[in-house]
């Protein structure tokens, strides 16, 4: 008999514990998502730099910088492109491109995380006969 009364006193305990853990669970999910965004930004920055170098090596020397910058930013979506800069693009003999991306908080188009991701690529200039 005593055991039955004890079970009634514990009723609702799981619901209270779950409510207490909910903020911690949500915070963990948000932090994991932010880590995913940082990793994705590294992937985008590296790919943008590769695309810029690829276009820069095929362009004539006078048009190299413009072709490189255009190609580096071309494949980025609008929200990522607005937070992207191409501080260096070009060179002679060995063409390099640098792309910097600002990492958003939670989703692209929102406020920016105080982290900038840097992508760098280089390739040897194509020789045209």
């Amino acid at each position: 008999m005593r055991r039955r009364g004890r079970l009634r006193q514990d009723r609702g305990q799981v619901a209270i514990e779950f409510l207490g853990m909910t903020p911690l669970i949500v915070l963990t999910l948000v932090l994991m998502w932010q880590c995913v965004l940082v990793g994705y930004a590294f992937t985008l920055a590296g790919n943008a730099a590769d695309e810029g170098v690829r276009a820069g090596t095929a362009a004539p020397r006078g048009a190299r910088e413009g072709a490189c910058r255009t190609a580096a930013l071309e494949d980025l979506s609008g929200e990522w492109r607005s937070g992207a800069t191409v501080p260096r693009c070009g060179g002679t003999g060995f063409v390099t491109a640098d792309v910097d991306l600002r990492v958003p908080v939670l989703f692209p188009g929102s406020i920016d995380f105080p982290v900038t991701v840097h992508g760098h690529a280089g390739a040897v200039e194509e020789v045209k006969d």
Side-chain angles (χ1 to χ4, degrees):
M1 185 86 163
R2 194 160 208 216
R3 186 174 183 175
R4 187 172 209 175
R6 184 173 177 212
L7 287 177
R8 287 185 182 174
Q9 292 173 355
D10 289 342
R11 191 171 284 182
Q13 184 66 30
V14 173
I16 298 299
E17 288 175 3
F18 180 73
L19 284 176
M21 290 299 293
T22 301
L24 184 61
I25 293 168
V26 170
L27 179 65
T28 302
L29 291 174
V30 166
L31 290 175
M32 288 175 56
W33 178 249
Q34 192 61 46
C35 289
V36 167
L37 277 178
V38 171
Y40 187 57
F42 271 105
T43 302
L44 287 177
N47 184 58
D50 287 340
E51 292 295 326
V53 164
R54 189 174 295 121
T57 57
R61 288 188 181 185
R64 179 167 292 155
E65 188 171 341
C68 183
R69 285 183 194 281
T70 301
L73 298 175
E74 182 177 7
D75 289 336
L76 294 174
S77 67
E79 299 301 332
W80 287 99
R81 188 180 303 137
S82 66
T85 58
V86 184
R88 188 175 74 172
C89 206
T92 55
F94 188 73
V95 180
T96 60
D98 293 320
V99 176
D100 295 329
L101 282 179
R102 291 190 311 252
V103 179
V105 174
L106 296 181
F107 57 90
S110 65
I111 59 173
D112 291 328
F113 197 60
V115 173
T116 299
V117 172
H118 180 73
H120 176 78
V124 177
E125 178 181 11
E126 293 180 9
V127 178
K128 295 185 175 90
D129 293 330

